[in-house]
Amino acid sequence: MKFMKLGSRPDAFYTTQAIRCISSEVSSDLIIQVRSSKYLLHKFPLFSKCLRLQRIFSDVSSCSSPDQPVHLPDFPGGEEAFELCAKFCYGITITLSAYNVVAARCAAAYLQMTEDIEKGNLIHKVEVFFSSCILRGWRDSIVALKSTTAFSSLAEDVRITGRCIEAIATKVLMNPSKVSLSQSRSVNIPDDVSSNGLEIQSQKTHTVAKGWWAEDIAELSIDLYLRTIIAIKSGGKVPPNLIGDALRIYVSCWLPKVKRARRMDEGISSESDSDGKVEPTLKDRALLESIIGQLPTERGAVSCSFLSKLLKAANILDASPSSKKQLARLFGIQLEDATVKDLLIPPLSVSHACKMLYDVDIVMSIVEMFMLHGQSPPTSPPRLRTEFVDRRRSRSAENVDLELQESSRRGSSASHSSKLKVAKIVDGYLQEIGSDTNLPMSKFISLAEMVTDFARTDHDDLYKAIDIYLKAHPDLTKCERKKLCRILDCRKLSMESCIHAAKNENLPLRVIVQVLFFEHARVTKSGDEASHLPDDLKGLLSQQGIDLSRPQEPLTTMPTSIPAEDQFCVSAKRTPLLKVKLAEDKEQDVQHSDTGKVESGKGLMKTRRFCAIPGRPGRMLSKFWSNNRRASNVKATAKS
């Protein structure tokens, strides 16, 4: 770090009875009070260099006694800065560095220590040191800029703040090898590098990380930091990902209390939290919203994990809806790069109406942004042939068209693969939130339906999520279970999921029957032998009266209309797949028949397994009947 010494006399200031004096053979004739300190000084050395003191004393002496002190309550820098200026007037040695150069410059400007009153005055000497040394050093520029916080208005007037920001931005944009980084806490410079950053004796190449400057400027206050970031971005040479990484480092340095406040809200304590809860303030909220406003909009400039942390902080600090919307948009354009953990965002800490574990609404906004951004661009319309047949395109033009078509095809493929990844992420997220007992079923269904049907190559993960939700919500009515299971396509379940679903008592009976039917139809269509099926599935099919040894005719006709409550396996176009009808009403008739006979539990279970497949011969229906069922109890009719 650079420094400069001015003056040659030894320090003669001393303190007696809380008053600062200077040892001299001449008695003091000037009393100056700066804040809570009094100084007994002499008029001649101070008035010869400080024009302001001359004017103040001339005004005070005409209406007060000589022993009356001259008050300087708003002196910039306080007692230390005033004493530094006073020592300069007496010729006492003072040392200027990046830590006090701003205070000395502002104090000299306040006292009007200009060249007009005396050549070689303090303002001139400080300016020479500031321009030639401070602004040329990396660390010195940051320390000086950081110290301007205490002199915000005066430092702006003397153009110290702006010059420091410009100097820092210039060094970020230039080659790091040409910057004096010896005192940067981000970079270690070897001993064979001189003060200006150039190699002297060694021929070894010195590599510096591209974001070497991010940790150093993170020391600045939010106002100075944002001005510095804007100056760096205006240069146009720093990639967006480095800007995003710098913002991430700044947030980690200045918003640690957000995580701590969340731990306190959740009742989690630690040794570091034993000193009390830290309440988020309006200053923290303003800082967070300012950082969000500077996030690069390019895809991949900030990671999904960082966006997730910002969303969590936004909920804790109750940030503005516009800030949350911007985070959701940035998150949505790169959702395929996220993980399920990134989406587990706690809800608003101030909201007690709905005590859900996670903020599902913001995740739905993120998925919606992804779907809007991931829409494939419309293909260009075919060219119309005109009468100008002689206008032939060159071979190069045809090649350009082929390249554009190939690029469009690759973009469409990438969009499709992204949607496949997002479908896996959403299904995994549904499994995480399914165990939340306070999660409304409408939100669960809405989020599941936001993923297009073709993006789910299989419904195994979705089935797991539905199963978890059903187990966590045992009080769901029959209609609610039906509505929930309509988002499931039984045709896209694997054999293992089919076996599990067939034994799942939480599923509606219609879903179980469809699972068995489609699994049997799949085996029949593929021509596989029944021996290839697992024993569990063969046993379940046998219980339903399906003879695996006899091949079944393919279903060539399907019903044209099915009631909404009977539709479970629905595709993107909501095409009805199978009409299933239970004989529950029949059970009630049997229980209240004139004979007064009540069926046993075993008979009821067999009746519940009854289903009818319209559009096929009666022999197909007979396989779903139990052999020991009496014909007088149930009436079934099938169209031949």
Side-chain angles (χ1 to χ4, degrees):
M1 182 169 289
K2 302 293 184 180
F3 64 92
M4 181 179 70
K5 290 188 176 182
L6 299 176
S8 57
R9 293 180 57 185
D11 191 356
F13 275 82
Y14 65 95
T15 302
T16 174
Q17 296 180 355
I19 297 177
R20 293 287 288 171
C21 307
I22 185 170
S23 59
S24 175
E25 297 178 355
V26 181
S27 60
S28 61
D29 53 359
L30 179 63
I31 303 175
I32 297 179
Q33 183 167 354
V34 180
R35 297 182 183 177
S36 60
S37 300
K38 286 185 179 181
Y39 291 87
L40 298 180
L41 304 174
H42 302 83
K43 296 180 181 179
F44 176 73
L46 268 71
F47 287 0
S48 63
K49 292 181 171 57
C50 304
L51 181 61
R52 188 184 185 94
L53 289 181
Q54 290 183 18
R55 296 174 178 175
I56 293 177
F57 184 78
S58 61
D59 295 338
V60 172
S61 59
S62 60
C63 59
S64 61
S65 61
D67 297 335
Q68 185 71 22
V70 178
H71 292 274
L72 302 176
D74 56 344
F75 194 87
E79 295 90 339
E80 294 181 2
F82 176 79
E83 191 166 325
L84 186 144
C85 294
K87 289 180 179 179
F88 175 79
C89 295
Y90 282 97
I92 297 174
T93 303
I94 60 174
T95 302
L96 295 178
S97 66
Y99 290 99
N100 64 356
V101 66
V102 177
R105 178 65 179 87
C106 293
Y110 181 87
L111 295 175
Q112 299 178 4
M113 303 175 70
T114 62
E115 294 293 289
D116 297 335
I117 188 172
E118 183 177 293
K119 295 294 182 181
N121 212 339
L122 183 58
I123 290 180
H124 173 71
K125 293 184 179 297
V126 171
E127 281 290 338
V128 172
F129 173 67
F130 182 75
S131 301
S132 61
C133 297
I134 299 299
L135 294 182
R136 291 190 178 185
W138 167 254
R139 187 63 182 172
D140 291 336
S141 300
I142 293 178
V143 172
L145 179 59
K146 186 179 177 180
S147 63
T148 59
T149 305
F151 320 96
S152 56
S153 59
L154 193 54
E156 291 286 352
D157 295 339
V158 298
R159 295 188 62 252
I160 288 183
T161 305
R163 285 184 290 172
C164 287
I165 293 175
E166 183 180 356
I168 293 172
T170 302
K171 293 175 178 60
V172 171
L173 298 175
M174 69 169 50
N175 192 332
S177 62
K178 298 181 181 180
V179 183
S180 177
L181 302 176
S182 57
Q183 297 189 12
S184 171
R185 61 192 182 98
S186 305
V187 182
N188 294 324
I189 303 294
D191 296 335
D192 54 5
V193 178
S194 64
S195 60
N196 60 358
L198 300 177
E199 293 185 358
I200 298 178
Q201 299 177 354
S202 175
Q203 300 296 329
K204 297 180 181 179
T205 58
H206 176 61
T207 59
V208 180
K210 293 183 178 180
W212 56 270
W213 45 271
E215 292 186 7
D216 291 322
I217 67 173
E219 301 175 1
L220 302 174
S221 61
I222 182 62
D223 296 334
L224 298 176
Y225 181 82
L226 292 179
R227 292 177 60 182
T228 306
I229 285 292
I230 292 174
I232 293 173
K233 291 168 65 175
S234 63
K237 294 183 180 180
V238 179
N241 62 318
L242 293 185
I243 298 294
D245 190 61
L247 294 173
R248 178 188 60 80
I249 293 175
Y250 189 82
V251 169
S252 64
C253 293
W254 286 88
L255 283 180
K257 61 175 64 177
V258 172
K259 181 178 180 181
R260 182 177 174 183
R262 165 60 63 180
R263 289 169 58 87
M264 284 293 185
D265 290 338
E266 295 175 354
I268 304 174
S269 60
S270 61
E271 294 181 359
S272 59
D273 299 333
S274 59
D275 56 346
K277 179 179 177 179
V278 180
E279 293 290 343
T281 61
L282 295 177
K283 182 179 179 180
D284 297 328
R285 183 189 307 170
L287 187 149
L288 177 64
E289 293 177 352
S290 301
I291 292 296
I292 294 174
Q294 293 299 322
L295 290 175
T297 57
E298 292 80 0
R299 183 186 181 280
V302 289
S303 63
C304 293
S305 60
F306 178 46
L307 292 174
S308 175
K309 293 178 181 178
L310 290 179
L311 282 171
K312 295 176 183 177
N315 277 347
I316 295 173
L317 298 175
D318 194 17
S320 62
S322 59
S323 298
K324 295 181 182 179
K325 185 176 180 180
Q326 183 177 357
L327 289 175
R329 185 179 63 83
L330 295 176
F331 207 141
I333 63 177
Q334 54 186 3
L335 182 57
E336 67 272 17
D337 298 330
T339 61
V340 175
K341 185 179 179 181
D342 295 333
L343 297 178
L344 300 178
I345 302 169
L348 279 169
S349 59
V350 297
S351 177
H352 300 285
C354 184
K355 299 180 180 179
M356 292 191 300
L357 296 177
Y358 303 106
D359 191 347
V360 182
D361 294 330
I362 192 66
V363 175
M364 294 176 66
S365 301
I366 292 173
V367 178
E368 182 180 2
M369 292 294 179
F370 170 79
M371 292 301 175
L372 292 176
H373 180 78
Q375 289 179 353
S376 301
T379 56
S380 57
R383 296 178 179 271
L384 297 177
R385 295 182 178 272
T386 62
E387 63 273 17
F388 301 102
V389 184
D390 295 337
R391 295 184 179 180
R392 298 181 178 179
R393 296 186 303 170
S394 63
R395 178 67 61 179
S396 59
E398 294 179 358
N399 292 338
V400 170
D401 287 346
L402 291 175
E403 291 178 359
L404 290 176
Q405 294 176 4
E406 182 65 23
S407 176
S408 177
R409 189 180 300 109
R410 288 196 301 267
S412 176
S413 176
S415 176
H416 178 67
S417 62
S418 299
K419 291 180 179 179
L420 294 179
K421 294 178 182 178
V422 170
K424 288 289 185 182
I425 295 173
V426 171
D427 290 346
Y429 178 74
L430 290 173
Q431 295 178 31
E432 291 291 336
I433 66 175
S435 58
D436 185 2
T437 56
N438 295 318
L439 176 65
M441 189 179 68
S442 58
K443 292 184 181 293
F444 185 92
I445 295 176
S446 299
L447 181 57
E449 290 179 341
M450 293 182 71
V451 179
T452 54
D453 186 68
F454 74 88
R456 286 192 176 101
T457 56
D458 62 78
H459 278 216
D460 288 355
D461 292 335
L462 181 59
Y463 166 72
K464 293 178 183 178
I466 293 175
D467 183 46
I468 293 173
Y469 189 87
L470 290 175
K471 290 179 180 178
H473 301 78
D475 298 333
L476 291 179
T477 63
K478 178 181 176 181
C479 295
E480 290 174 339
R481 292 173 183 268
K482 288 181 180 180
K483 185 177 180 181
L484 177 63
C485 292
R486 289 194 191 109
I487 62 177
L488 185 65
D489 192 345
C490 300
R491 297 173 300 179
K492 292 186 177 182
L493 294 178
S494 65
M495 187 175 296
E496 290 78 8
S497 297
C498 287
I499 295 174
H500 187 278
K503 298 179 179 180
N504 195 343
E505 297 179 355
N506 295 319
L507 293 177
L509 185 57
R510 288 184 176 89
V511 178
I512 298 176
V513 173
Q514 289 193 36
V515 168
L516 295 174
F517 171 77
F518 282 120
E519 188 61 30
H520 179 247
R522 184 187 310 167
V523 175
T524 304
K525 183 177 180 180
S526 60
D528 293 342
E529 297 180 1
S531 59
H532 294 170
L533 294 175
D535 295 337
D536 293 341
L537 187 57
K538 288 192 293 184
L540 291 170
L541 291 173
S542 300
Q543 291 178 9
Q544 300 299 323
I546 300 178
D547 189 0
L548 298 176
S549 62
R550 296 182 58 184
Q552 304 294 331
E553 297 181 10
L555 297 178
T556 57
T557 60
M558 284 291 177
T560 57
S561 62
I562 295 179
E565 65 271 10
D566 292 336
Q567 297 181 17
F568 287 96
C569 307
V570 234
S571 61
K573 297 182 179 181
R574 301 297 184 196
T575 304
L577 302 175
L578 180 66
K579 183 178 181 181
V580 180
K581 193 172 185 180
L582 294 179
E584 295 175 352
D585 296 336
K586 301 291 184 179
E587 296 172 7
Q588 297 178 1
D589 296 340
V590 171
Q591 293 176 3
H592 298 86
S593 60
D594 296 334
T595 58
K597 296 182 180 179
V598 181
E599 290 191 345
S600 62
K602 182 177 180 180
L604 285 174
M605 291 303 298
K606 291 183 179 181
T607 305
R608 290 179 183 272
R609 295 194 183 103
F610 168 77
C611 66
I613 307 173
R616 297 308 307 157
R619 63 185 183 85
M620 292 280 295
L621 291 173
S622 63
K623 296 185 178 297
F624 292 92
W625 283 86
S626 176
N627 294 330
N628 58 356
R629 182 72 175 174
R630 292 185 300 178
S632 60
N633 293 336
V634 179
K635 296 180 181 179
T637 305
K639 296 180 181 180
S640 57

